[in-house]
Amino acid sequence: MNFIEIFLNKEDKQPLYYQLYNYLVQGIQSGSLPAGEKLPGKRTAAGQLGVGVNTVDEAYQMLVAEGYVTARPRSGFVVNQLGQVVAPLPPTAVTEAPAPKKETIWRHSFASGGNDPTLFPRKMWNRLFREVLAEEPRLFEHGEPTGDIGLRTAIAGYLQGYRGVQCQPAQIVVGAGLEVLLGFLARLFAGSAVAVEDPGYPKAAHILANGGLQVVPVPIDEEGMNPEKLAASGATLAYLTPSHQFPTGVVMPVARRTKLLRWAASGQHVLIEDDYDSEYRFDARPLPSLQGLDGEGRVVYAGTFSRSLAPSLRIAYLVLPFWLLAQWQQMYGDYACTVSRPEQHTLARFIQGGHFYRGLNRMRNTYKKRRNLLLAALQTHLQGVEYTTQNTHTGLYFVLYLPGKNAPLIAQKAANASIKVRALNTYQRLQTTYPNTNHALVLGYGGLADEEIDDAAKALCNIIKQG
Amino acid sequence: MNFIEIFLNKEDKQPLYYQLYNYLVQGIQSGSLPAGEKLPGKRTAAGQLGVGVNTVDEAYQMLVAEGYVTARPRSGFVVNQLGQVVAPLPPTAVTEAPAPKKETIWRHSFASGGNDPTLFPRKMWNRLFREVLAEEPRLFEHGEPTGDIGLRTAIAGYLQGYRGVQCQPAQIVVGAGLEVLLGFLARLFAGSAVAVEDPGYPKAAHILANGGLQVVPVPIDEEGMNPEKLAASGATLAYLTPSHQFPTGVVMPVARRTKLLRWAASGQHVLIEDDYDSEYRFDARPLPSLQGLDGEGRVVYAGTFSRSLAPSLRIAYLVLPFWLLAQWQQMYGDYACTVSRPEQHTLARFIQGGHFYRGLNRMRNTYKKRRNLLLAALQTHLQGVEYTTQNTHTGLYFVLYLPGKNAPLIAQKAANASIKVRALNTYQRLQTTYPNTNHALVLGYGGLADEEIDDAAKALCNIIKQG
């Protein structure tokens, strides 16, 4: 063979040697360059192609390295017998990505997970990030698997002081969101049954199921998860939101907390306390955590900075009881922490410098104002309609109870009017459970701007009045 | 009861109402404030304590919210019957964290995973991060579950151009390290058997096992995983490092690749291609990926920026075949991407601006120099010893084969002299497999500074000569 008919394009963004390599691979795969065929010598080839010898050499070396040809002393480069090559055929399998989920653009959104990203302290974050990059020489080496000690210490300080959590930094595991951390946790108990609140947070149930746990919905009542039904469920773990039950907003009273702790202690069971939204208690200091009442080490405490900083930062944490640390270490001791070290160190400085606490106060005031605006707007626009609001003290959502009204129908009509709102019963899997879920809407206000609230409430209330 | 004997300390960092609250909780839990006991009215209490009424009110509201007391119309605040409280007893369970693994400080480290964190482009990263924070208004809202489109497009461009991967941005899933991504992947095939290379990368086997797969070691030979033994293993997935097998450095020839692809295509099996270290091919362009040869969509391609940027950034990715996207979406469609959006956008700009490619070239030259220094040092210091170096063209490690020498013993003696090096057979689980693993060391040089290499090699070679 000779290379005279091969055209290499010097204008192409692919380098010449790579063009040559591709040409020869195609020839070998198609059979036009059969096994045993000798390639021209490098100098000859270079002359025929009008390129340098180095170019040919690079292409030949790649072919050798990949096993397409063999370099034989004296006889040069010879095409190998490849067996039957799986050529890049037109694939028979699926060749298109599933259509991405279209994000609906809502006129108004009462989503319970809404928050206000404009409250994020960009300037301070940027400043601290720059400091971290300038001042920490070992930042780009491997860090500690459960998170660097500075951040774990800062988180422990916050949890001790503000959430009544009994913990040392050694008990804390930092990770890139509760999806990852609850997923890892689930693997430690693979095959076990975990009770989840019903109605409850569907995503948590989904994460725990993905991790290999058997998910058992257990009804809640007006004090949270029912302990008798939990005991009867056969579960050995329970996932709870005691500070502010999702989606009802129920705050679990201490007697109920005690009963659940006793269930866990007596059976060596585990309570997973998701302290979601606990930062946002408006009318009194936040309730201390369930973990803080636990003298037996049966609680895994879970928290996140998604709501107190930004959901797009992906920083969350678990507090593990001591006995669980060794198991965690055995499974995940060689895993790198899933939060980047520059961001870990930035957050540590952010907390230690007091910026986190000041930011929380600012956010709490902002959201409290929105809650008040929404309550006032409901009062105005629901005149003549029987309603009550429930559990308005904590978190960025509350329940609007509308006796006699069909809440799912109202939510549907609202959706038709481009207003996002969910009926309480859509979080429910079981038949008999929390009262009146068919007559209640879950109203989130974290994502509503102050000046939007009255309009949004008015539009929703008009639908309620018709519904 | 009255509150005259309660002392609230105004100098304490705990607010007064919280001190009062704590005092009353202790009384209720200890029984000194029994069920049915009436608390003093707020004004009376405030007078007795010498504090404002608001302070008492906040404490009482917390007690009510938590269920310790009930506010009864006209009779005031009455202590509830709590049942038997699980008081914070001295816990019977483990109460100390396991001692953290001590990091050994080595005089010289030939660790295969070593790299040079000082090569990280701090200034450019900082500049781009600042730009991202300043210019992207929606950065702190939720992003796309599989990673934002800008980064996925940049990664797809790199993989198409430099790794011969056939992919669209829609096939890419970005995540905080391969621990997370391979763990998620494993859950999609829970219970299946996955073949891993033997000798092979122990961490990958560990991750896949943690994810619920049954791990089956399959021997490699001098071309990589043995296809007959793979077929006999009963596995339906195989984890491979074809570009640069870990730890032997074997580059899989195209005929072998073809056979493995045929195994996967004929049985609807899945090959997981970990393209670890493929950026560091020194003597020719990097080999195209196995994925690029696959016309049947049977390859999941896995890559990371740990080695090409920094391990502490935690950014990795998978390229999924189209048919797998729908399953991924079903399991993880509601999971947030585990890499923070500020870092995703910074990396996207870093790649799109060409900095990544320039950085790779710089790193490649740095590491190539180190490899050459190490090869030269071995030549000097191993005079008179029979040895060969194997697979030195790619990656930040190679194999030093020492016929007749006891490599595990040498590694042990080296450890005693504070030199970290591993014998090839320590990565091996099966008896008969890759040749001479007892006579070979794996030498990593990515973490050795230029000026250290000769000393390190000399010290190791002296031990080899004795061993």
Side-chain angles (χ1 to χ4, degrees):
Chain A
M1 74 165 301
N2 72 58
F3 283 178
I4 288 176
E5 68 241 48
I6 300 178
F7 172 67
L8 302 183
N9 180 359
K10 289 181 190 180
E11 311 294 306
D12 198 295
K13 68 175 182 163
Q14 282 199 331
L16 293 172
Y17 75 91
Y18 199 63
Q19 293 180 44
L20 176 59
Y21 157 85
N22 272 329
Y23 191 93
L24 295 173
V25 165
Q26 278 169 30
I28 294 167
Q29 288 187 342
S30 69
S32 70
L33 278 172
E37 178 90 11
K38 225 181 103 182
L39 301 183
K42 291 185 224 172
R43 270 166 219 290
T44 314
Q48 291 173 347
L49 294 163
V51 300
V53 174
N54 276 346
T55 301
V56 178
D57 187 50
E58 280 200 80
Y60 281 16
Q61 292 306 334
M62 280 178 74
L63 294 171
V64 170
E66 293 175 40
Y68 286 104
V69 307
T70 300
R72 299 209 184 130
R74 276 181 307 272
S75 55
F77 294 85
V78 180
V79 175
N80 288 335
Q81 181 67 45
L82 298 183
Q84 193 190 337
V85 173
V86 177
L89 298 168
T92 53
V94 190
T95 56
E96 272 184 41
K101 265 203 282 187
K102 273 252 168 72
E103 277 294 317
T104 315
I105 308 290
W106 301 95
R107 188 154 61 97
H108 301 298
S109 171
F110 291 95
S112 59
N115 73 342
D116 186 344
T118 66
L119 298 176
F120 185 80
R122 280 174 194 254
K123 276 194 182 158
M124 179 55 66
W125 194 260
N126 201 342
R127 201 187 96 189
L128 295 174
F129 187 88
R130 202 163 59 235
E131 282 178 22
V132 163
L133 248 64
E135 294 169 16
E136 303 194 22
R138 304 191 58 186
L139 198 61
F140 295 101
E141 303 174 27
H142 281 287
E144 297 177 71
T146 56
D148 285 2
I149 184 66
L151 179 57
R152 287 188 288 114
T153 303
I155 292 173
Y158 165 65
L159 294 177
Q160 288 156 7
Y162 287 73
R163 303 296 308 123
V165 173
Q166 313 170 38
C167 67
Q168 300 170 15
Q171 292 172 264
I172 292 179
V173 179
V174 175
L178 287 179
E179 291 97 328
V180 172
L181 290 172
L182 292 180
F184 282 0
L185 183 68
R187 296 303 304 149
L188 291 178
F189 301 97
S192 304
V194 61
V196 298
E197 298 162 328
D198 189 85
Y201 184 40
K203 186 166 168 185
H206 183 206
I207 294 168
L208 296 169
N210 278 352
L213 295 180
Q214 190 193 329
V215 171
V216 188
V218 168
I220 63 162
D221 55 34
E222 279 149 299
E223 299 196 331
M225 187 178 276
N226 183 302
E228 288 73 37
K229 294 194 171 143
L230 171 58
S233 74
T236 55
L237 302 103
Y239 168 87
L240 303 170
T241 52
S243 297
H244 187 226
Q245 203 271 337
F246 187 90
T248 62
V250 161
V251 178
M252 188 183 287
V254 70
R256 177 61 61 90
R257 291 177 187 228
T258 297
K259 280 190 189 159
L260 293 173
L261 287 167
R262 207 173 320 134
W263 169 81
S266 64
Q268 304 274 301
H269 301 324
V270 173
L271 300 175
I272 304 168
E273 176 182 22
D274 188 341
D275 209 20
Y276 179 74
D277 259 6
S278 61
E279 301 90 354
Y280 297 115
R281 186 165 177 85
F282 302 118
D283 302 318
R285 197 182 173 88
L287 299 184
S289 63
L290 181 63
Q291 197 267 9
L293 281 178
D294 171 27
E296 306 283 336
R298 307 315 310 175
V299 175
V300 173
Y301 178 93
T304 171
F305 291 97
S306 282
R307 298 278 265 186
S308 52
L309 268 172
S312 68
L313 282 185
R314 312 313 303 149
I315 311 181
Y317 48 87
L318 299 179
V319 181
L320 301 179
F322 287 108
W323 61 270
L324 199 52
L325 286 174
Q327 286 177 50
W328 188 280
Q329 165 76 22
Q330 201 184 346
M331 282 213 26
Y332 306 119
D334 63 345
Y335 283 37
C337 179
T338 43
V339 180
S340 88
R341 293 186 77 204
E343 291 197 332
Q344 285 187 53
H345 288 229
T346 303
L347 178 55
R349 288 182 186 221
F350 189 76
I351 298 173
Q352 279 154 356
H355 311 294
F356 178 64
Y357 301 102
R358 283 193 285 279
L360 268 186
N361 277 335
R362 205 164 41 237
M363 290 167 115
R364 205 179 283 124
N365 288 334
T366 302
Y367 291 129
K368 183 175 181 175
K369 184 177 171 199
R370 291 187 186 172
R371 181 202 58 175
N372 293 344
L373 287 170
L374 180 55
L375 290 174
L378 292 176
Q379 212 165 12
T380 308
H381 301 298
L382 280 182
Q383 264 179 12
V385 177
E386 190 191 349
Y387 78 93
T388 52
T389 53
Q390 298 173 342
N391 304 316
T392 58
H393 300 294
T394 311
L396 306 188
Y397 60 89
F398 58 76
V399 168
L400 174 64
Y401 172 43
L402 297 159
K405 297 277 188 187
N406 183 336
L409 186 68
I410 290 169
Q412 185 52 55
K413 286 184 179 171
N416 296 343
S418 190
I419 297 170
K420 184 177 188 178
V421 67
R422 270 178 85 161
L424 185 50
N425 73 336
T426 60
Y427 295 100
Q428 181 179 342
R429 302 191 191 188
L430 304 173
Q431 283 293 320
T432 55
T433 172
Y434 197 76
N436 301 319
T437 53
N438 290 321
H439 307 300
L441 297 173
V442 181
L443 297 191
Y445 46 85
L448 292 172
D450 292 5
E451 56 278 13
E452 175 189 1
I453 290 178
D454 193 69
D455 285 349
K458 190 173 176 183
L460 178 63
C461 290
N462 283 338
I463 293 166
I464 291 172
K465 284 176 178 166
Q466 299 154 20
Chain B
M1 74 165 300
N2 72 56
F3 282 180
I4 288 176
E5 67 241 45
I6 301 178
F7 173 66
L8 302 182
N9 181 0
K10 289 180 190 179
E11 310 294 305
D12 198 293
K13 67 171 183 166
Q14 283 200 328
L16 293 171
Y17 76 90
Y18 199 63
Q19 294 178 44
L20 177 60
Y21 157 84
N22 272 328
Y23 190 93
L24 295 173
V25 164
Q26 277 167 31
I28 294 167
Q29 287 187 343
S30 69
S32 70
L33 278 171
E37 178 90 10
K38 225 181 104 182
L39 300 183
K42 290 184 224 170
R43 271 167 218 288
T44 314
Q48 290 173 349
L49 294 162
V51 300
V53 173
N54 275 347
T55 301
V56 178
D57 187 51
E58 280 199 81
Y60 281 17
Q61 293 304 335
M62 279 177 76
L63 294 171
V64 170
E66 295 177 36
Y68 286 103
V69 306
T70 301
R72 298 209 185 130
R74 276 182 305 274
S75 53
F77 295 85
V78 180
V79 175
N80 288 335
Q81 181 67 45
L82 298 182
Q84 194 192 336
V85 173
V86 177
L89 296 170
T92 53
V94 190
T95 57
E96 272 183 41
K101 267 203 282 187
K102 274 253 167 72
E103 276 294 317
T104 316
I105 308 289
W106 301 93
R107 188 154 60 98
H108 301 298
S109 170
F110 291 95
S112 59
N115 74 341
D116 187 344
T118 66
L119 299 176
F120 185 80
R122 279 175 195 254
K123 276 194 183 157
M124 180 53 68
W125 195 260
N126 200 341
R127 199 186 97 190
L128 296 174
F129 187 87
R130 200 163 59 236
E131 282 178 21
V132 163
L133 248 63
E135 294 169 15
E136 304 195 19
R138 304 190 59 184
L139 199 60
F140 296 100
E141 301 173 29
H142 281 287
E144 297 177 72
T146 57
D148 284 1
I149 184 66
L151 178 56
R152 287 188 285 115
T153 303
I155 291 173
Y158 165 66
L159 294 177
Q160 288 157 5
Y162 288 73
R163 303 297 307 124
V165 172
Q166 312 171 36
C167 67
Q168 300 171 13
Q171 292 173 264
I172 292 179
V173 179
V174 174
L178 287 179
E179 291 98 328
V180 172
L181 290 173
L182 291 180
F184 281 0
L185 183 68
R187 297 302 303 148
L188 290 178
F189 300 97
S192 304
V194 60
V196 298
E197 299 162 329
D198 189 85
Y201 184 40
K203 187 165 168 185
H206 183 206
I207 294 168
L208 296 169
N210 278 352
L213 296 182
Q214 191 193 330
V215 171
V216 187
V218 168
I220 63 160
D221 57 31
E222 280 150 299
E223 300 195 331
M225 187 177 277
N226 182 301
E228 287 74 36
K229 294 193 172 146
L230 170 59
S233 73
T236 54
L237 301 103
Y239 168 87
L240 304 169
T241 52
S243 296
H244 185 227
Q245 204 271 337
F246 186 90
T248 63
V250 162
V251 177
M252 187 182 286
V254 70
R256 177 62 60 92
R257 292 178 185 228
T258 296
K259 280 190 188 159
L260 293 173
L261 287 167
R262 208 176 316 137
W263 169 82
S266 63
Q268 303 273 301
H269 301 325
V270 172
L271 300 175
I272 305 168
E273 175 181 25
D274 187 342
D275 209 21
Y276 180 74
D277 260 6
S278 61
E279 301 87 354
Y280 296 117
R281 185 166 178 86
F282 301 119
D283 302 319
R285 197 182 173 88
L287 299 184
S289 63
L290 181 63
Q291 197 268 9
L293 281 178
D294 172 26
E296 305 284 334
R298 305 316 308 175
V299 175
V300 173
Y301 178 92
T304 172
F305 291 97
S306 283
R307 300 278 265 187
S308 52
L309 268 173
S312 68
L313 281 187
R314 312 313 304 148
I315 312 180
Y317 47 87
L318 299 180
V319 181
L320 301 178
F322 287 108
W323 60 271
L324 199 52
L325 286 174
Q327 286 177 50
W328 187 281
Q329 165 77 19
Q330 201 183 347
M331 286 232 353
Y332 306 120
D334 63 345
Y335 283 37
C337 178
T338 44
V339 179
S340 86
R341 293 186 75 202
E343 291 197 331
Q344 286 188 51
H345 288 228
T346 303
L347 177 56
R349 287 183 187 219
F350 190 77
I351 298 173
Q352 279 154 355
H355 311 294
F356 178 64
Y357 302 102
R358 284 193 285 279
L360 267 186
N361 277 335
R362 204 163 45 235
M363 290 168 114
R364 206 178 282 124
N365 288 334
T366 301
Y367 290 129
K368 182 174 181 175
K369 184 176 171 199
R370 291 187 186 171
R371 182 201 60 174
N372 292 344
L373 287 170
L374 180 55
L375 289 172
L378 292 176
Q379 212 166 12
T380 307
H381 300 298
L382 280 183
Q383 263 178 15
V385 178
E386 189 191 349
Y387 78 93
T388 51
T389 52
Q390 298 174 342
N391 303 317
T392 58
H393 299 295
T394 311
L396 306 187
Y397 61 88
F398 58 77
V399 169
L400 174 64
Y401 171 42
L402 298 159
K405 296 278 189 188
N406 182 337
L409 185 68
I410 290 169
Q412 184 52 55
K413 286 184 178 172
N416 296 342
S418 190
I419 297 169
K420 184 177 188 178
V421 66
R422 271 179 85 161
L424 185 50
N425 73 336
T426 61
Y427 293 101
Q428 182 179 342
R429 302 189 191 189
L430 305 173
Q431 284 292 322
T432 53
T433 171
Y434 198 75
N436 302 318
T437 53
N438 290 321
H439 307 299
L441 297 173
V442 180
L443 297 190
Y445 47 84
L448 293 171
D450 292 5
E451 55 279 12
E452 174 189 1
I453 290 178
D454 194 69
D455 286 349
K458 191 175 179 184
L460 178 63
C461 290
N462 282 338
I463 293 167
I464 291 172
K465 283 176 179 166
Q466 298 153 21

